Amino acid sequence: MATTPQPGTTGTTGTTETGPPHARSVLRDTAFLRLWAGTTASGLATWALPFVLGLAVLHRELGAAGLGLVLAARTAGFLAAVAVGGVLADRHSRRAVVFWSALAAAVAAPLLALGLGRSLVLMTLAAALAGAGQGACRPAFQALTAETVAADHRQQANAAMTMAVRTSTLAGPTLTALLAAFVDAGTQLLGIGVLWLVAALLPGRGATAPRADAVSAAAPRASLRAEFVDGIREARRHPWFLAGLGALTAVIALGYSATGVALPLVSRDRYGTEWVLAAAMTAYTVGALGGALVTARRRPRSQGWSALAGLALYGFAPLSLMLPVHPAVVVAAYAVAGIGIELFNVPWFTATQREVAPDKLARVSSLDFLLSYGLAPVGLALMAPAIGVFGVTPVLAVCAGACFLVPAAAALVPTARHFGRAPGPRTD
């Protein structure tokens, strides 16, 4: 990665940024460890919920149609709250936004348990509340990381954060399956509420000085919409951000969606076994963990180009599903895709925290989540009909091409090479 700007600067914004005293390792920073643990708890709760609800379907406490409605309500709540959460996290204390949003998700969990087998309406409303809490806390967590960790330790911090997310994708469903032998779905839902309480209570306050937009309580404030639009203007000031976000959105909406639909079909129809599906998804997560470890200390000179190249590696996943290859090739392709996604994610988060104006960071982060994850359900909804009309192979070919070509096009945008201003002399 390009040399990190010296503490006290924020890339192209030119604003002053203060941070906590430098530590030898971010893993020895108590404030960061509290934030990391809170993020991990929220990740476990997030990934466990769909599997707990799936167990409820198996036990006939919830129908398949009801499961779809509840999960759709959670997604709708997430999308509705993520933009508002970004504005609130820039307007108020980010720690407070994390607390109240995680608390909302915690309250939703017992409501889900109460409605299980009794009221689908209550479960749907509770799922929307859970999604809203999850959505509102995501940009606040991102901005709180920048407040808690000094600038020259943020890449390591972001790598630790993304490792927590990837570990949660494995641990959440695994713990759910193990606990199912001892407790019912309602009890597990209460456990998810406890995890959200941990996420609400554990993180501490950021260590930076008040942000540049801090004003007295008596001063008039712009509307939520106006402040969100102001965040969009800030995003437009950074061509590398718009290009990278476009590439990430294309890979998620097309690549992720195509493989999410096609992998189970290919595993069943071509290989005649479900183990290819399980092995490929596990390889992806393990690869992502390895990629996060690499990026914790990796500093390429052209960090933007390197990150976009990593993002493009996801194209090997749909490509492997197109061809009549040995199943080990599919598994290897997914491992490579997992490595690549973290070669992108960690520098992407770090550059956003460095280059975006601190008082608009949460809003810009919310725009990231809103587009990259918000369009994923649309891609999933359209992918199955497209495969039905055109066939698996043509759809996978188009999506693989997009995964390779869109990041390559993003790399041509000015400032994309370094995800910001050109670096000075290397210090590492």
Side-chain angles (χ1 to χ4, degrees):
M1 187 185 79
T3 302
T4 307
Q6 295 300 311
T9 64
T10 57
T12 57
T13 64
T15 57
T16 300
E17 178 182 279
T18 60
H22 291 249
R24 284 178 295 175
S25 170
V26 73
L27 299 179
R28 299 183 181 181
D29 183 343
T30 302
F32 171 73
L33 289 177
R34 291 178 61 183
L35 179 62
W36 179 87
T39 304
T40 302
S42 71
L44 287 171
T46 297
W47 286 100
L49 180 59
F51 288 87
V52 173
L53 295 175
L55 290 174
V57 173
L58 293 178
H59 296 155
R60 302 186 184 279
E61 297 174 291
L62 181 66
L67 174 63
L69 180 61
V70 170
L71 292 179
R74 186 178 75 146
T75 300
F78 177 92
L79 296 177
V82 68
V84 176
V87 174
L88 293 178
D90 281 338
R91 176 184 283 191
H92 304 292
S93 161
R94 283 146 182 180
R95 174 66 188 87
V97 173
V98 167
F99 173 80
W100 289 109
S101 57
L103 187 62
V107 169
L111 294 177
L112 282 167
L114 182 64
L116 192 62
R118 300 181 183 88
S119 172
L120 182 58
V121 172
L122 177 59
M123 290 194 71
T124 301
L125 294 175
L129 179 61
Q134 178 191 347
C137 76
R138 290 270 69 86
F141 267 127
Q142 281 289 101
L144 193 57
T145 301
E147 289 189 354
T148 302
V149 181
D152 53 352
H153 288 311
R154 285 183 193 152
Q155 180 143 332
Q156 186 184 25
N158 287 318
M161 287 292 198
T162 196
M163 287 181 67
V165 172
R166 298 302 175 186
T167 302
S168 298
T169 64
L170 288 177
T174 301
L175 291 174
T176 297
L178 293 174
L179 289 173
F182 305 98
V183 297
D184 59 17
T187 303
Q188 290 207 47
L189 286 171
L190 296 178
I192 288 175
V194 172
L195 287 172
W196 276 114
L197 276 178
V198 172
L201 298 173
L202 199 56
R205 185 177 296 275
T208 57
R211 295 187 296 279
D213 67 338
V215 294
S216 67
R221 275 208 177 268
S223 66
L224 291 174
R225 178 182 177 278
E227 291 198 13
F228 182 71
V229 170
D230 194 33
I232 295 176
R233 293 194 190 97
E234 172 64 20
R236 292 174 60 186
R237 292 183 56 246
H238 306 280
W240 64 270
F241 179 84
L242 297 180
L245 181 55
L248 178 61
T249 301
V251 169
I252 291 178
L254 295 177
Y256 278 35
S257 299
T259 55
V261 174
L263 179 59
L265 298 176
V266 171
S267 181
R268 180 195 66 191
D269 298 339
R270 182 187 300 165
Y271 301 109
T273 176
E274 295 179 354
W275 81 264
V276 177
L277 168 63
M281 296 308 298
T282 302
Y284 177 80
T285 302
V286 173
L289 288 170
L293 283 173
V294 170
T295 54
R297 296 190 177 276
R298 184 172 176 266
R299 302 292 189 271
R301 291 185 180 277
S302 301
Q303 69 159 354
W305 284 359
S306 175
L308 290 167
L311 183 62
L313 292 178
Y314 194 86
F316 286 109
L319 186 63
S320 70
L321 299 178
M322 289 172 51
L323 306 173
V325 296
H326 191 278
V329 176
V330 176
V331 175
Y334 269 79
V336 169
I339 293 171
I341 200 66
E342 295 309 335
L343 293 180
F344 174 84
N345 276 340
V346 176
W348 172 255
F349 292 142
T350 305
T352 303
Q353 293 162 353
R354 183 186 68 236
E355 299 291 328
V356 171
D359 59 310
K360 299 178 179 67
L361 177 56
R363 278 169 282 180
V364 173
S365 295
S366 71
L367 184 64
D368 180 353
F369 290 116
L370 187 63
L371 291 182
S372 59
Y373 290 100
L375 292 180
V378 177
L380 283 170
L382 296 178
M383 205 55 63
I387 289 176
V389 173
F390 301 105
V392 173
T393 299
V395 171
L396 287 173
V398 170
C399 293
C403 289
F404 289 127
L405 295 177
V406 177
L412 301 178
V413 171
T415 70
R417 178 174 181 175
H418 302 290
F419 275 174
R421 65 181 183 181
R426 287 172 63 93
T427 61
D428 54 328

